[in-house]
Amino acid sequence: MAPSGSRSVDCWRVLYWIPVLFICVIVAWSYYAYVVQLCIETIENMGEKIVYLLAYHVLFIMFVWSYWQTIFTKSMNPLKEFHLSHSDKELLEHEDRRESQQDILRRIAKDLPIYTRTMSGGGHILIEAHPNRAKTLLIAGKVTVRYCELCLLLKPDRCHHCSACEKCILKMDHHCPWVNNCVGFSNYKFFMLFLAYSLLYCLFVSATDLQYFIQFWTNGLPDTQAKFHIMFLFFAASTFSVSLAFLFAYHCWLVCKNRSTLEAFRAPAFQHGPDKNGFSLGMNKNFRQVFGDEKKYWLLPIFSRYLGDGCSFPTCLVNPDPEQPSSPTGHNPSTKSAGESHLFPSKPLRESQSRLINNTRSEGSEDRDKRGTSNPALTIEKET
């Protein structure tokens, strides 16, 4: 017999599907209202009816397809190499001092492609005024390896632990209750297409339903149940269009900046301090990191060849961004100080990173900052 705690957890997980069920009911009703009540029962012109039905079903299929992919695409977790071995776990458990635990984690992380970290122990950022720009100075903070005590692993760059999914998610953007899944590295493309096609779906329904919605208020429709479906269909589609437009625009901005929702609120910390643009490679490369490099698959909610494995990302330390202060003059953020050089040593580029950066160099060499860098995994380029 299953323990009561297990049954309560299963019960909560069933409740997580309520928002998804709500969306499914709304979509099913909208299909009935548009196809049956509007197109078949109300529209009399056969040509208009056929065009509306064909266009509607194309958008409906793409919308449902991308929604399905967003829901049922399993979120990717860190690779085995980021998990602690049995001996390392025991060593960490038997060590009581925080500094000693960090030394153990640093030793494990030295050969992993990890370049972001957590500031702790009273570390803070001081913003100093400048005649032309602001300066950001990193003051006396402890640099700690990003470690998940629940999953017992070193967090790869851009990876975060989701309390709802109870696991670490690669390039986690957010946990979306409307899809009952974490939006991250494996399904962010599907989520973007879901937003795009749901917005187009609502706009199309609103636009084609508008004239009949006006006839409802001018008593131009026959007195049947169809007119109430037409009225509520226009209200629902218009309302969802507004909210989806803002959400889609926001995520388009995030894609162009190569940021996740979490990174937009809290910038990832590099060795020179927090940098919201630390992973930005320019608009074109940022877009391809999400949608892949095969254009024929960009608009389809299918797996395209991703640029990377989700555990490591090429970094680009972009020079002054209007949304954040620049690093101190003369300070090369990619150069490690002697005291912290053992934390994040130079590591070889992965194949996907090399391919992306080589494309960056061949396509945008005229925009690249010519400053040198001691870390082969860091490339400096002005954002396009």
Side-chain angles (χ1 to χ4, degrees), residues 6-263:
S6 176
R7 288 198 300 268
S8 62
V9 171
D10 293 337
C11 182
W12 276 110
R13 289 185 176 177
V14 169
L15 294 179
Y16 290 157
W17 287 99
I18 291 179
V20 177
L21 182 62
F22 173 76
I23 294 295
C24 292
V25 170
I26 293 293
V27 172
W29 167 78
S30 70
Y31 184 89
Y32 169 77
Y34 190 89
V35 173
V36 177
Q37 297 297 333
L38 178 62
C39 291
I40 296 178
E41 299 292 338
T42 305
I43 298 178
E44 297 178 352
N45 186 289
M46 184 58 65
E48 181 182 7
K49 183 182 299 188
I50 293 175
V51 171
Y52 281 6
L53 286 174
L54 288 176
Y56 174 84
H57 279 93
V58 170
L59 290 175
F60 180 80
I61 290 172
M62 298 305 294
F63 164 45
V64 173
W65 186 8
S66 57
Y67 189 47
W68 176 277
Q69 289 285 68
T70 307
I71 295 174
F72 294 105
T73 298
K74 186 178 180 181
S75 299
M76 290 182 64
N77 311 120
L79 299 176
K80 185 178 180 180
E81 60 190 278
F82 291 89
H83 291 258
L84 267 61
S85 64
H86 180 70
S87 58
D88 289 330
K89 291 177 185 177
E90 288 188 341
L91 192 61
L92 203 63
E93 289 174 359
H94 289 97
E95 188 57 65
D96 296 328
R97 292 187 305 140
R98 185 69 177 176
E99 280 300 320
S100 299
Q101 291 178 344
Q102 276 298 309
D103 288 338
I104 296 172
L105 295 177
R106 288 166 190 157
R107 174 183 58 79
I108 301 170
K110 68 180 181 180
D111 295 323
L112 295 174
I114 300 175
Y115 301 99
T116 57
R117 53 276 195 84
T118 300
M119 297 305 303
S120 63
H124 61 281
I125 300 297
L126 173 65
I127 307 300
E128 179 182 313
H130 189 276
N132 299 320
R133 62 189 183 187
K135 286 184 177 180
T136 304
L137 301 177
L138 188 60
I139 306 297
K142 290 183 180 179
V143 177
T144 61
V145 177
R146 298 176 66 243
Y147 174 70
C148 180
E149 296 181 351
L150 298 176
C151 299
L152 300 178
L153 57 81
L154 298 176
K155 293 181 183 178
D157 292 343
R158 317 185 81 174
C159 174
H160 298 275
H161 186 88
C162 176
S163 58
C165 296
E166 298 181 344
K167 57 186 176 181
C168 286
I169 308 297
L170 294 180
K171 196 188 176 185
M172 180 177 172
D173 187 88
H174 67 287
H175 184 89
C176 181
W178 301 108
V179 300
N180 191 28
N181 196 4
C182 259
V183 177
F185 178 78
S186 62
N187 63 350
Y188 191 54
K189 172 190 173 182
F190 304 147
F191 178 74
M192 288 295 298
L193 291 178
F194 160 61
L195 293 181
Y197 286 123
S198 59
L199 176 60
L200 290 175
Y201 176 83
C202 291
L203 289 175
F204 176 81
V205 170
S206 299
T208 54
D209 187 41
L210 178 59
Q211 60 175 314
Y212 301 98
F213 175 76
I214 295 174
Q215 291 181 23
F216 170 84
W217 294 105
T218 57
N219 296 320
L221 291 178
D223 191 15
T224 62
Q225 66 171 352
K227 67 178 186 178
F228 295 103
H229 286 283
I230 290 172
M231 179 188 67
F232 288 116
L233 183 64
F234 180 81
F235 277 129
S238 302
T239 302
F240 279 109
S241 295
V242 174
S243 58
L244 285 169
F246 282 106
L247 185 59
F248 180 63
Y250 176 67
H251 278 278
C252 285
W253 177 80
L254 290 178
V255 170
C256 292
K257 290 287 187 178
N258 203 344
R259 300 176 192 169
S260 66
T261 299
L262 295 176
E263 291 166 351

